[in-house]
Amino acid sequence: MLPRKLAIALAFCMAGALAIAEGLYLAPSLYFWTKSHEAEAIERVRFAWYQASDPGSFLSIDEKSRFARRMINDGLITGGVLYDSAGDPLAVFGERPLLDLSLARLSGVKVQHSPNTDAFDVHLSPSETGLAHDLILRLPNAPVEAATAAQMREFGLSVLMIAALTAVLFLIACWMVIIQPLKRINAALRGAVRNPDRADSYVLATHRRDEIGQIATSLDLLLASFASLFHNELATLKGAHDGFAFGIIQFGEDQVPVAANPAALRLFSVDDIEGLRRVNMNCASLIGAKRSEPGNLLEVLDGARVPALLGLHVDAGMVTALGYPTRARSAEDEPESTFIALVPIDELMRDARKALGEAKRADVRLRLQSAELQEMRRQMEACLCLLEAASAGDPSEKAEAVLPDRILNNWYSDAARDGLVSGKLEHGLLPRVHGRPSAIRKILRQALLLVYAHTDMERPFLKVDAEPLGDGTMEIIIRDVSADRIGTGEKRKKSIDPTLPRAAMLQTLLANDGTLVGLETQAGSTTLRITMPMQEGGAAGTSEDEADAAFAQMDGGDAALRKSA
C-alpha cells in the first residue's frame, strides 16, 4: 500500500473508532442527562412554591391559584391540582395532570410520564413546598429535552475537537514514524530499478530496531547485492550489448530514444544518443506492403508481424533490415520502454545471393562433368567396337532376325538416367533386322551415339523411324527432334569425337551388308540414315527374349565399363 493510501486508511480507522466510542458513551449518558434535567426542572418548581409560601401566614386558595397561573404563564408548568388533607381537589388550574394523589401516596410515585403527551406529572408534598396542601403539577418536556440536547451538543463538539486534535497528532506521528520511512523505502526501490548500476547509492542506513528498521536493513543488503551483481556479472552482458553487430534502440514512454548501442548509432550515421534523437524516425516502410511512403518506426512495427522486413531511409541510403520490437512493462502493466532490434541484411543478402550463384555454377559444373564422364564411357565403348571389328568378331555367330526396339530403348534409357538425353526414345513399329545379333547391337548403339555427338542441345530428344525399301533392306532414320520438343534450350558442345562412333559404326555396318546413306546437320537438327538387311518374307525371327540371351555376354562387358567409369 502506498504511503498516501496508508495515511488515509489510518485516518478513517481512527475516525470510525472515535465514532463508535462516542456512540457507546452517549447511549447510557442520554438517560442520565434526561433524568438530571427533569430533577432540575422539578427542583425549580418546588423552590418557586417554597419561596411563595409565607411561614407567618397561610396563603388562600385564590392566592395559590393566582401563583399557579403565573407559573403557567412563565412556562414552568402547564397545569396542576391542589388537594386538601382528605385528598379532594381544592383548585384546578391549567391542564389537569393524570397522576392521582391516592396513587402517589400509596405507591410513592413522585414522577409520572404521561403517554402520548409532551409533559410529565410531579407530586409535591407539603413538606417539600411549605404549603398546607399536596400539589400535583404537570411540567412540560420541551425545556428538559432542550437542556439535554444542548448538553449532548456541547459534549459532541468537545469530543470532536479532542478527536480531531488526536487524529492530527496521530497522523503526524504516523507520517514521521511509518509513512515517511515507507516512502524512502519505495523511492529507494524505484531508483534502484531505474538505475541498477547505482543501486548501492540508494542505501537507507537506518538505525531503527523495529519492523520497519529491519525491512530497511534487509533492503540495504539487497541493494548492495544487486549493485555487485550488476557490476560483476551484468556488466559482461552490457559489454556484449555494446558489441552486438545489429542495432538496439531503447525508446521511452514518450517514444523518444533514450539509449542505443554503437551498431544502431552507425546504422543512422550519428555519434551519440543526442544525435539519434535529432533523427527523423518517420523513416521506415514495410517491404512488400501496399503503402510505400515511410512511416514512424514504432508505429510501423506495432502493426506488423515480427520480425518485419523493413526498408530504412537513412542518410547513407536505403537499408534493408529485420525489425523486432519488445516492450518492458511496469508493475501496473503500463508500458515503460520499447526496445527495437534492427538487423541489417543487405550484406547477408548479397552473400546469400553470391553463395546461391556459386552453388548453381557448381551444380552446372558437376552436371557437365558427370555428362562428360558418361560421354567418355560411351566413347570407350566405340573404341572397343573398333577393336572387335578389327579382330573380325566371333566367326561362329550365325545371322538371325533381331528386333531393334530393345537395343535402342536400352541405350536411350541408360543415357537418360545418366543425364545425357531427355524423355523416352520416340519410335514407331520397327521391322526385324537380319544379321549377327552382336553386330546389329553395335551398329544401332554407335548410330545413336553418333547422332548424339552431333547435336547442339545439352539433353536432346531423339527419334527413330524405319522404312522398307523393297529390295530386302530397310532404311533406319535417327533424328534430333529437340527443336520441336523444347525449342531453344540450353546448348552444349559434346566432348565426344564423332569420328570414333562413325568409324565403329561403318566397319560393323559394312561387315553386316549395311550402308551409310548420309549424315545431315542443318537448322540445328541432325539426321542419320543407314540401311540394313530385313528379314525376308516376314518370317518369325528372334524374339526380344532370345535376343537378350544372345546379348548377355556383351551386356556383361558394358556393365564392367560402367562400373569402371
mmCIF file of all heavy atoms in Angstrom, residues 65-84:
data_model
loop_
_atom_site.group_PDB
_atom_site.id
_atom_site.type_symbol
_atom_site.label_atom_id
_atom_site.label_comp_id
_atom_site.label_asym_id
_atom_site.label_seq_id
_atom_site.Cartn_x
_atom_site.Cartn_y
_atom_site.Cartn_z
ATOM 1 N N SER A 65 -53.958 29.801 43.522
ATOM 2 C CA SER A 65 -54.350 29.648 42.111
ATOM 3 C C SER A 65 -53.727 30.734 41.252
ATOM 4 O O SER A 65 -53.265 30.476 40.115
ATOM 5 C CB SER A 65 -55.884 29.680 41.988
ATOM 6 O OG SER A 65 -56.454 28.598 42.696
ATOM 7 N N ARG A 66 -53.700 31.990 41.810
ATOM 8 C CA ARG A 66 -53.076 33.061 41.030
ATOM 9 C C ARG A 66 -51.585 32.797 40.845
ATOM 10 O O ARG A 66 -51.015 33.003 39.751
ATOM 11 C CB ARG A 66 -53.292 34.400 41.737
ATOM 12 C CG ARG A 66 -54.713 34.942 41.572
ATOM 13 C CD ARG A 66 -54.777 36.419 41.975
ATOM 14 N NE ARG A 66 -54.378 36.594 43.355
ATOM 15 C CZ ARG A 66 -55.219 36.560 44.405
ATOM 16 N NH1 ARG A 66 -56.525 36.328 44.221
ATOM 17 N NH2 ARG A 66 -54.770 36.754 45.639
ATOM 18 N N PHE A 67 -50.918 32.279 41.863
ATOM 19 C CA PHE A 67 -49.490 31.973 41.751
ATOM 20 C C PHE A 67 -49.248 30.863 40.733
ATOM 21 O O PHE A 67 -48.294 30.909 39.931
ATOM 22 C CB PHE A 67 -48.934 31.583 43.133
ATOM 23 C CG PHE A 67 -47.466 31.327 43.132
ATOM 24 C CD1 PHE A 67 -46.564 32.382 43.026
ATOM 25 C CD2 PHE A 67 -46.971 30.031 43.214
ATOM 26 C CE1 PHE A 67 -45.214 32.135 43.021
ATOM 27 C CE2 PHE A 67 -45.608 29.801 43.195
ATOM 28 C CZ PHE A 67 -44.721 30.841 43.112
ATOM 29 N N ALA A 68 -50.158 29.865 40.745
ATOM 30 C CA ALA A 68 -50.015 28.755 39.781
ATOM 31 C C ALA A 68 -50.196 29.261 38.358
ATOM 32 O O ALA A 68 -49.472 28.852 37.435
ATOM 33 C CB ALA A 68 -51.029 27.653 40.089
ATOM 34 N N ARG A 69 -51.194 30.171 38.153
ATOM 35 C CA ARG A 69 -51.387 30.686 36.795
ATOM 36 C C ARG A 69 -50.191 31.527 36.356
ATOM 37 O O ARG A 69 -49.815 31.542 35.183
ATOM 38 C CB ARG A 69 -52.676 31.504 36.744
ATOM 39 C CG ARG A 69 -53.925 30.620 36.705
ATOM 40 C CD ARG A 69 -55.166 31.443 36.359
ATOM 41 N NE ARG A 69 -55.500 32.354 37.442
ATOM 42 C CZ ARG A 69 -56.301 32.045 38.470
ATOM 43 N NH1 ARG A 69 -56.848 30.824 38.549
ATOM 44 N NH2 ARG A 69 -56.557 32.923 39.410
ATOM 45 N N ARG A 70 -49.553 32.199 37.325
ATOM 46 C CA ARG A 70 -48.368 32.966 36.974
ATOM 47 C C ARG A 70 -47.227 32.030 36.537
ATOM 48 O O ARG A 70 -46.474 32.337 35.615
ATOM 49 C CB ARG A 70 -47.955 33.813 38.191
ATOM 50 C CG ARG A 70 -47.167 35.037 37.804
ATOM 51 C CD ARG A 70 -47.064 36.078 38.909
ATOM 52 N NE ARG A 70 -46.697 35.554 40.216
ATOM 53 C CZ ARG A 70 -47.518 35.595 41.269
ATOM 54 N NH1 ARG A 70 -48.728 36.111 41.167
ATOM 55 N NH2 ARG A 70 -47.130 35.117 42.429
ATOM 56 N N MET A 71 -47.122 30.892 37.179
ATOM 57 C CA MET A 71 -46.113 29.904 36.797
ATOM 58 C C MET A 71 -46.414 29.298 35.418
ATOM 59 O O MET A 71 -45.501 28.997 34.635
ATOM 60 C CB MET A 71 -46.020 28.786 37.845
ATOM 61 C CG MET A 71 -45.482 29.265 39.197
ATOM 62 S SD MET A 71 -45.349 27.931 40.414
ATOM 63 C CE MET A 71 -44.021 26.982 39.706
ATOM 64 N N ILE A 72 -47.731 29.147 35.135
ATOM 65 C CA ILE A 72 -48.102 28.652 33.798
ATOM 66 C C ILE A 72 -47.684 29.667 32.736
ATOM 67 O O ILE A 72 -47.157 29.316 31.678
ATOM 68 C CB ILE A 72 -49.612 28.358 33.740
ATOM 69 C CG1 ILE A 72 -49.962 27.165 34.651
ATOM 70 C CG2 ILE A 72 -50.054 28.088 32.303
ATOM 71 C CD1 ILE A 72 -51.451 26.893 34.765
ATOM 72 N N ASN A 73 -47.920 30.949 33.032
ATOM 73 C CA ASN A 73 -47.527 31.981 32.083
ATOM 74 C C ASN A 73 -46.009 32.018 31.891
ATOM 75 O O ASN A 73 -45.512 32.322 30.808
ATOM 76 C CB ASN A 73 -48.032 33.343 32.535
ATOM 77 C CG ASN A 73 -49.558 33.426 32.489
ATOM 78 O OD1 ASN A 73 -50.198 32.740 31.692
ATOM 79 N ND2 ASN A 73 -50.143 34.245 33.341
ATOM 80 N N ASP A 74 -45.271 31.733 32.948
ATOM 81 C CA ASP A 74 -43.805 31.719 32.859
ATOM 82 C C ASP A 74 -43.283 30.452 32.184
ATOM 83 O O ASP A 74 -42.078 30.353 31.895
ATOM 84 C CB ASP A 74 -43.184 31.844 34.246
ATOM 85 C CG ASP A 74 -43.474 33.214 34.888
ATOM 86 O OD1 ASP A 74 -43.736 34.152 34.098
ATOM 87 O OD2 ASP A 74 -43.398 33.307 36.102
ATOM 88 N N GLY A 75 -44.127 29.471 31.917
ATOM 89 C CA GLY A 75 -43.713 28.249 31.235
ATOM 90 C C GLY A 75 -43.101 27.228 32.139
ATOM 91 O O GLY A 75 -42.566 26.223 31.661
ATOM 92 N N LEU A 76 -43.192 27.441 33.473
ATOM 93 C CA LEU A 76 -42.624 26.436 34.362
ATOM 94 C C LEU A 76 -43.505 25.199 34.433
ATOM 95 O O LEU A 76 -42.997 24.087 34.594
ATOM 96 C CB LEU A 76 -42.418 27.027 35.761
ATOM 97 C CG LEU A 76 -41.412 28.188 35.846
ATOM 98 C CD1 LEU A 76 -41.362 28.711 37.283
ATOM 99 C CD2 LEU A 76 -40.034 27.710 35.389
ATOM 100 N N ILE A 77 -44.841 25.422 34.423
ATOM 101 C CA ILE A 77 -45.770 24.298 34.463
ATOM 102 C C ILE A 77 -46.830 24.536 33.414
ATOM 103 O O ILE A 77 -46.956 25.640 32.858
ATOM 104 C CB ILE A 77 -46.423 24.155 35.855
ATOM 105 C CG1 ILE A 77 -47.227 25.418 36.193
ATOM 106 C CG2 ILE A 77 -45.372 23.845 36.918
ATOM 107 C CD1 ILE A 77 -48.004 25.319 37.511
ATOM 108 N N THR A 78 -47.590 23.469 33.096
ATOM 109 C CA THR A 78 -48.718 23.615 32.153
ATOM 110 C C THR A 78 -50.057 23.432 32.867
ATOM 111 O O THR A 78 -51.111 23.662 32.269
ATOM 112 C CB THR A 78 -48.608 22.560 31.034
ATOM 113 O OG1 THR A 78 -48.628 21.257 31.623
ATOM 114 C CG2 THR A 78 -47.325 22.758 30.224
ATOM 115 N N GLY A 79 -50.033 23.029 34.143
ATOM 116 C CA GLY A 79 -51.272 22.857 34.890
ATOM 117 C C GLY A 79 -51.015 22.181 36.223
ATOM 118 O O GLY A 79 -49.858 21.858 36.548
ATOM 119 N N GLY A 80 -52.108 22.004 37.007
ATOM 120 C CA GLY A 80 -51.931 21.346 38.279
ATOM 121 C C GLY A 80 -53.239 21.267 39.064
ATOM 122 O O GLY A 80 -54.238 21.865 38.690
ATOM 123 N N VAL A 81 -53.163 20.519 40.203
ATOM 124 C CA VAL A 81 -54.337 20.338 41.080
ATOM 125 C C VAL A 81 -53.853 20.526 42.526
ATOM 126 O O VAL A 81 -52.803 19.970 42.895
ATOM 127 C CB VAL A 81 -54.977 18.950 40.888
ATOM 128 C CG1 VAL A 81 -56.180 18.801 41.827
ATOM 129 C CG2 VAL A 81 -55.382 18.742 39.438
ATOM 130 N N LEU A 82 -54.671 21.288 43.319
ATOM 131 C CA LEU A 82 -54.388 21.493 44.735
ATOM 132 C C LEU A 82 -55.382 20.650 45.534
ATOM 133 O O LEU A 82 -56.574 20.731 45.312
ATOM 134 C CB LEU A 82 -54.538 22.981 45.103
ATOM 135 C CG LEU A 82 -54.227 23.379 46.528
ATOM 136 C CD1 LEU A 82 -52.750 23.146 46.841
ATOM 137 C CD2 LEU A 82 -54.600 24.848 46.745
ATOM 138 N N TYR A 83 -54.849 19.785 46.425
ATOM 139 C CA TYR A 83 -55.679 18.853 47.184
ATOM 140 C C TYR A 83 -55.716 19.264 48.656
ATOM 141 O O TYR A 83 -54.742 19.823 49.184
ATOM 142 C CB TYR A 83 -55.127 17.430 47.085
ATOM 143 C CG TYR A 83 -55.227 16.818 45.678
ATOM 144 C CD1 TYR A 83 -54.172 16.956 44.777
ATOM 145 C CD2 TYR A 83 -56.371 16.132 45.298
ATOM 146 C CE1 TYR A 83 -54.252 16.410 43.510
ATOM 147 C CE2 TYR A 83 -56.460 15.591 44.025
ATOM 148 C CZ TYR A 83 -55.411 15.722 43.143
ATOM 149 O OH TYR A 83 -55.504 15.183 41.893
ATOM 150 N N ASP A 84 -56.845 18.864 49.299
ATOM 151 C CA ASP A 84 -56.936 19.077 50.750
ATOM 152 C C ASP A 84 -56.370 17.877 51.463
ATOM 153 O O ASP A 84 -55.903 16.922 50.815
ATOM 154 C CB ASP A 84 -58.390 19.350 51.167
ATOM 155 C CG ASP A 84 -59.321 18.219 50.774
ATOM 156 O OD1 ASP A 84 -58.800 17.116 50.358
ATOM 157 O OD2 ASP A 84 -60.529 18.394 50.833
#
